[in-house]
Amino acid sequence: MTTFLQLVVVGISTGSAYALIGIGLVLVYRTTSIINFAQGAFAVIAGLVTARLVGHVPTALAAALAVALVAVIGALMGFVALGRRGRTTPLASLIITLGLALLASAVELYVFGDVPRSYASISRHAWSLGGVLIEPQYTLIVAVTFLAAILLTALLRRTIVGHALVACADSRRASELVGLNVRALGVVSFAMAAALGALAGVLLTPVIPVTFDSDVGIAVNGFAAAAFGGLVSIRGALAGGLVLGIAENLVVGYINPQYELAIALLIMLALIGWRSRNEVVA
Amino acid sequence: MSALLEVDDLTVRYGRAVAVDGVSLALERGERVALIGPNGAGKTSLLNAVCGLLKPAGGRVAIDGREVTGAGPGAVVRLGVSQVPEGRQVFPSLPVEANLLLGAYGRTGPFRYPAARAETRERLQRVYRLLPKLEELRDRPAGRTSGGEQQMVAIGRALMAGPRLLAIDELSLGLAPVVVQDLTAFLRSLNEEHGVALLLVEQNAHLAFDLCDRAYVLEAGRAVLAGPSEELRRQDAVRDAYLGGGLAVETL
């Protein structure tokens, strides 16, 4: 029972990080109809940059700088991926993000090398709850994820910029018609998604070291999380991340660690199959 | 002084298909003008080209003498022309009030929106006075209101940009006759008391002639007739084709 609970605790924590990735995917997909394949790269860049800065500056500052830098990179990627108004289709944009993800991997390999990078978690002292160890870093990941989800929801519900982003998601045509700059709002959503991905990256790196090619695994997990809400729901992505994290950790703990990514892919395929079947029926 | 809206020899193409074929029209300040014609005559394409949603293949559009051809919808809104689109196209998941505020935001943009806050509030109150139903529904997602209420949201949203010309695409489409009557009366008073010019695109010629002083008749992308509503109403060809005269559209 203790093993089971321990696996669940760790699963909730890594699942939260997947949820952050998934929420970023949802945000970009809803406002621009683009599935952003570079979403995993945001986490990797942030992790690598933080690892490089740690030792020179306090970890918290390093993490904040990395998140800010990645948000700028995200905005630039969005600018490139969105292309020209009325010329670049969402499918073309998707391919562009795939290209940008590959480019990001190459640049990371060149700048940071191929050695896995990591840094110390916030504290090594784990709390014990009836034999279940709870590490502060895991608690931090969960807390930051829920805080980010709450803040993002408040932004979308309460501010005019948030309303404009939701408007783009609701009806691109009507958004253009009232004079909203749909392209600029798309760039904003890419920057926000990049910041969310970067948060996941800086939080996960002390637990799971990153290399230039970690982005595929991270992106697949993020997609699987987002697929729970049909790619359109923040709450769905949050729930999806948690379910996925727990499921993966149970498989890793009880069956075989090598199946971790396979679980994400299986869940994603099952969800896509189930959804498309329901849509056909409906 | 130049007209409020001037459309000159406008052509819109989709690939090789010609939707609008060299149409010219003009609209003065405070005027009420209708654009009628059968389905597929190019009315909506013409309107969308005027509003900057479509890039015309030829011709020019000017607002107040300033050319806006191909300048995009934002520029058109900022020059005081707002569209109430076909099928309303409200933002369904946003509350009614957010729908309205976005009408103002679309005109100011993110940087001038905070400075225009007082003006936006005042305009919102004015829209609520004109369309009290919207104030009752302010917190309800626009997608969960009736068709007539959504049409009010779309009109209110357009008014939040403070337009001098309201371009309305298919006001009556899918609405109950009594709702259409109310909206027509509202648009008339908006025009008479607040001086907002109207460009009404309609399949329902009765409604168009009742509300508007002048009309253009569009057929297969061309403006085939134009004149005061009363004169058009008396013409046999128009009566037969659009006012239930019994003859097919082809005879026009």
Side-chain angles (χ1 to χ4, degrees):
Chain A
M1 191 61 194
T2 310
T3 315
F4 175 79
L5 287 177
Q6 185 69 64
L7 290 169
V8 168
V9 164
V10 176
I12 287 173
S13 149
T14 44
S16 296
Y18 301 155
L20 278 178
I21 305 283
I23 291 169
L25 282 165
V26 167
L27 190 64
V28 166
Y29 179 69
R30 286 209 58 197
T31 48
T32 67
S33 299
I34 297 171
I35 294 175
N36 178 20
F37 274 93
Q39 185 68 20
F42 297 145
V44 172
I45 298 170
L48 290 173
V49 169
T50 309
R52 171 65 61 91
L53 291 176
V54 164
H56 304 286
V57 295
T59 308
L61 179 61
L65 287 173
V67 171
L69 174 73
V70 169
V72 173
I73 292 173
L76 290 173
M77 279 193 180
F79 189 75
V80 173
L82 284 161
R84 290 171 63 184
R85 187 175 99 88
R87 292 280 184 85
T88 313
T89 63
L91 189 62
S93 297
L94 180 151
I95 303 297
I96 295 174
T97 65
L98 191 59
L100 288 171
L102 292 170
L103 177 68
S105 286
V107 173
E108 288 151 24
L109 180 61
Y110 181 75
V111 177
F112 300 97
D114 62 351
V115 185
R117 305 281 171 181
S118 188
Y119 42 88
S121 56
I122 52 164
S123 166
R124 296 214 177 277
H125 297 286
W127 303 299
S128 178
L129 264 180
V132 179
L133 289 180
I134 298 178
E135 286 189 40
Q137 184 75 23
Y138 289 154
T139 320
L140 183 70
I141 297 176
V142 177
V144 169
T145 299
F146 277 80
L147 190 66
I150 289 166
L151 285 178
L152 182 65
T153 308
L155 177 95
L156 294 178
R157 291 222 179 121
R158 303 246 175 269
T159 69
I160 190 77
V161 178
H163 290 157
L165 286 168
V166 176
C168 291
D170 269 4
S171 166
R172 189 128 334 132
R173 197 173 174 74
S175 303
E176 286 192 345
L177 195 75
V178 300
L180 299 181
N181 190 338
V182 174
R183 205 159 170 272
L185 287 162
V187 171
V188 168
S189 75
F190 261 88
M192 287 166 60
L196 291 169
L199 269 180
V202 298
L203 290 165
L204 267 184
T205 303
V207 186
I208 309 167
V210 281
T211 54
F212 70 98
D213 59 355
S214 305
D215 66 321
V216 176
I218 293 173
V220 167
N221 280 307
F223 280 126
F228 268 77
L231 268 182
V232 294
S233 157
I234 290 174
R235 246 181 281 174
L238 198 56
L242 295 179
V243 170
L244 185 69
I246 294 168
E248 279 186 7
N249 264 283
L250 291 178
V251 169
V252 167
Y254 286 119
I255 304 169
N256 187 333
Q258 289 186 328
Y259 293 156
E260 186 178 348
L261 202 57
I263 293 300
L265 285 166
L266 272 177
I267 288 179
M268 194 162 64
L269 281 175
L271 278 170
I272 291 168
W274 181 68
R275 281 195 171 270
S276 60
R277 196 160 140 195
N278 276 6
E279 270 162 29
V280 170
V281 173
Chain B
M1 202 155 73
S2 45
L4 178 56
L5 175 69
E6 246 178 312
V7 175
D8 201 19
D9 199 24
L10 197 74
T11 301
V12 177
R13 288 203 191 95
Y14 299 103
R16 288 173 65 191
V18 179
V20 179
D21 191 3
V23 172
S24 298
L25 58 87
L27 194 147
E28 300 294 332
R29 282 165 193 74
E31 242 192 328
R32 298 196 295 257
V33 175
L35 206 58
I36 66 168
N39 226 339
K43 305 185 300 290
T44 296
S45 297
L46 174 61
L47 196 60
N48 285 340
V50 166
C51 293
L53 281 172
L54 282 175
K55 233 179 193 151
R60 60 187 279 279
V61 179
I63 298 166
D64 251 345
R66 281 204 248 177
E67 180 155 356
V68 292
T69 323
V76 174
V77 169
R78 282 189 290 281
L79 281 173
V81 176
S82 286
Q83 194 194 127
V84 179
E86 185 177 352
R88 278 80 75 178
Q89 300 196 29
V90 296
F91 302 117
S93 63
L94 288 173
V96 165
E97 186 158 300
N99 269 268
L100 298 177
L101 291 175
L102 282 172
Y105 184 77
R107 178 157 188 175
T108 60
F111 303 112
R112 282 187 296 122
Y113 186 79
R117 202 190 188 107
E119 193 189 342
T120 302
R121 282 285 140 198
E122 199 180 299
R123 214 170 262 169
L124 185 67
Q125 291 315 316
R126 210 179 309 152
V127 168
Y128 281 153
R129 265 202 305 280
L130 289 168
L131 297 161
K133 187 82 195 167
L134 293 184
E135 190 162 19
E136 285 171 42
L137 298 168
R138 64 201 288 177
D139 295 321
R140 187 173 310 172
R144 284 203 273 124
T145 61
S146 72
E149 288 159 358
Q150 287 186 24
Q151 190 65 283
M152 286 184 212
V153 173
I155 293 173
R157 183 179 68 187
L159 290 178
M160 286 298 289
R164 289 176 297 161
L165 168 60
L166 205 55
I168 302 153
D169 197 359
E170 302 289 1
L171 176 76
S172 65
L173 198 72
L175 297 182
V178 57
V179 176
V180 175
Q181 246 171 39
D182 286 352
L183 287 171
T184 312
F186 167 73
L187 290 174
R188 189 190 299 276
S189 73
L190 185 72
N191 171 261
E192 285 170 355
E193 287 158 34
H194 301 268
V196 179
L198 301 176
L199 178 60
L200 187 72
V201 168
E202 260 298 334
Q203 281 191 57
N204 180 345
H206 283 290
L207 191 166
F209 290 154
D210 285 347
L211 180 60
C212 299
D213 318 308
R214 280 199 305 128
Y216 293 83
V217 181
L218 231 61
E219 284 267 320
R222 291 170 188 272
V224 291
L225 279 172
S229 299
E230 287 318 308
E231 266 174 42
L232 288 175
R233 209 197 280 271
R234 281 196 301 272
Q235 287 195 22
D236 289 346
V238 174
R239 205 168 55 223
D240 293 343
Y242 301 108
L243 299 172
L247 286 174
V249 175
E250 281 84 345
T251 57
L252 193 111

